[in-house]
Amino acid sequence: MNKLGISGTLIQVDPVRYSPAGVPIAEAVILHRSSQTVAMQARQVECELTVQASGTLATQLAQLATGAQVKLEGALNRRSVKSRQLILILNRIEKE
């Protein structure tokens, strides 16, 4: 299974670009901060994650402002065939 849900603040929202096939693509960066229980101990968690949306979700993502609070769902994938960097490919965007 490859499904990830994350909430946080958009700290970067890039303009829509288009694939060679004409599909709209947008990227953003989400900042997540929370307290999680790990081994029965409270732990502060903070991370930044690049997210990518295509099609109608790309337009929706690109219209959000930096600082927006969102909940995102999708699947993890490599940024490209030659990259080891992970990105979240979105299939759901919810503004909080």
Side-chain angles (χ1 to χ4, degrees):
M1 178 190 276
N2 182 355
K3 182 177 180 181
L4 177 70
I6 191 166
S7 62
T9 306
L10 291 177
I11 59 171
Q12 177 182 327
V13 180
D14 297 340
V16 173
R17 61 183 171 84
Y18 293 87
S19 73
V23 176
I25 299 170
E27 290 191 2
V29 178
I30 187 171
L31 170 63
H32 170 84
R33 289 185 179 130
S34 65
S35 178
Q36 301 292 319
T37 302
V38 178
M40 299 191 309
Q41 297 289 325
R43 182 175 183 167
Q44 295 302 310
V45 175
E46 181 175 324
C47 65
E48 292 180 14
L49 181 62
T50 300
V51 300
Q52 185 182 81
S54 58
T56 57
L57 280 179
T59 305
Q60 185 181 347
L61 180 62
Q63 290 176 347
L64 294 171
T66 300
Q69 298 293 313
V70 293
K71 288 183 184 177
L72 306 174
E73 288 183 8
L76 290 174
N77 195 13
R78 289 181 175 187
R79 175 174 279 290
S80 68
V81 175
K82 295 180 181 181
S83 175
R84 298 183 118 194
Q85 181 185 6
L86 293 178
I87 62 171
L88 178 63
I89 305 298
L90 299 178
N91 58 30
R92 185 167 162 256
I93 301 170
E94 181 181 325
K95 190 172 178 185
E96 292 188 304

